[in-house]
């Protein structure tokens, strides 16, 4: 039963991530100018920090980018996690992107503290809760090139555990949720790696 739930959750992930541009370059002919990258949470929630940490791990696993360990990035940013004004106007049942809303000044400050070529910032401002348990965590992210915090990529995606469309499975446990986050992060990391020409063979 547990294996069947995982298969259904992964199928749901594929269907749902297919509805979005999980990662797009702002300029289609963009060529990377560096290799080092850090991933941070844009909000100060525990869920957002977990997603940022898993995304850093996924980028290290799936790409040739030199990933600053999330723990090291967190230690370099005073009072991390911090709230950064994000790239959206509205986030309730879904996220309405507005990439120009992001606090670029804060992004620049953080990128300069970390000393990396790229900073990937993830916000998880909303979740779908069914029967008292989170089934979907919605995320939106931007990739910035330093030192000016120029936006070079963006996208949004959902992490889904135990729910596909309107067909409810039993409430997901912590393992289901962790699997959903890991699978989503791997998927997005591969998209980033492919579009930057940094995907591991």
């Amino acid at each position: 039963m547990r294996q069947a739930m995982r298969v259904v959750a992964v199928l749901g992930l594929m269907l749902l991530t297919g509805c979005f541009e999980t990662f797009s370059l702002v300029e289609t002919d963009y060529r990377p100018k560096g290799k080092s990258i850090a991933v941070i949470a844009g909000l100060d929630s525990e869920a957002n920090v977990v997603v940022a940490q898993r995304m850093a791990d996924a980028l290290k696993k799936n790409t040739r980018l030199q990933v600053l360990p999330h723990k090291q990035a967190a230690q370099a940013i005073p009072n991390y996690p911090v709230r950064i004004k994000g790239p959206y106007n509205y986030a309730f049942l879904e996220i309405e992107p507005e990439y120009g809303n992001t606090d670029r000044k804060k992004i620049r400050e953080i990128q300069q503290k970390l000393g990396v070529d790229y900073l990937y910032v993830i916000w998880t401002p909303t979740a779908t809760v069914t029967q008292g348990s989170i089934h979907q965590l919605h995320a939106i992210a931007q990739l910035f090139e330093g030192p000016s915090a120029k936006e070079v990529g963006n996208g949004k995606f959902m992490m889904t555990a135990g729910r596909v469309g309107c067909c409810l499975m039993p409430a997901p446990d912590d393992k289901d949720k962790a699997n959903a986050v890991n699978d989503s992060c791997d998927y997005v990391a591969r998209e980033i790696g492919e579009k930057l020409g940094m995907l591991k063979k």
Side-chain angles (χ1 to χ4, degrees):
M1 179 64 176
R2 179 68 62 194
Q3 184 64 25
M5 283 178 62
R6 174 145 166 86
V7 169
V8 170
V10 170
L11 288 173
L13 166 72
M14 291 167 67
L15 290 170
L16 289 164
T17 53
C19 299
F20 301 112
E21 284 285 339
T22 59
F23 180 76
S24 296
L25 291 170
V26 173
E27 301 168 2
T28 54
D29 60 348
Y30 176 78
R31 294 291 174 263
K33 296 176 178 64
K35 289 188 175 182
S36 63
I37 189 171
V39 182
I40 64 165
L43 298 172
D44 56 2
S45 69
E46 181 181 353
N48 203 157
V49 173
V50 168
V51 172
Q53 183 174 354
R54 300 282 170 80
M55 184 61 76
D57 294 342
L59 285 169
K60 183 175 181 181
K61 171 184 167 186
N62 294 289
T63 75
R64 290 181 284 110
L65 291 163
Q66 298 165 1
V67 184
L68 183 70
H70 185 260
K71 185 176 181 181
Q72 190 175 333
Q75 289 171 343
I77 302 168
N79 304 312
Y80 183 81
V82 296
R83 293 184 71 85
I84 303 169
K85 184 179 178 186
Y88 50 89
N89 286 323
Y90 175 85
F92 183 56
L93 293 177
E94 63 179 72
I95 302 169
E96 178 187 303
E98 186 57 60
Y99 292 109
N101 278 357
T102 306
D103 184 345
R104 295 294 179 88
K105 182 180 177 188
K106 188 170 270 190
I107 296 291
R108 269 194 306 275
E109 290 169 359
I110 291 171
Q111 196 158 16
Q112 287 166 7
K113 278 187 193 314
L114 298 178
V116 289
D117 300 315
Y118 296 99
L119 183 63
Y120 187 71
V121 187
I122 304 173
W123 291 263
T124 58
T126 188
T128 301
V129 178
T130 306
Q131 298 175 339
S133 183
I134 292 176
H135 285 268
Q136 291 177 342
L137 188 60
H138 302 247
I140 188 165
Q142 287 175 287
L143 179 67
F144 300 95
E145 180 186 80
S148 63
K150 174 188 175 183
E151 181 187 14
V152 296
N154 56 53
K156 66 177 188 172
F157 56 99
M158 284 188 287
M159 290 147 281
T160 303
R163 184 173 189 266
V164 179
C166 60
C167 178
L168 293 180
M169 300 295 288
D173 60 18
D174 289 344
K175 185 177 179 183
D176 294 325
K177 293 175 185 176
N179 286 337
V181 170
N182 289 338
D183 292 341
S184 296
C185 288
D186 277 341
Y187 182 94
V188 176
R190 286 192 292 269
E191 285 284 297
I192 292 170
E194 182 177 358
K195 290 181 179 176
L196 290 179
M198 293 283 193
L199 189 64
K200 279 185 179 173
K201 301 296 184 187

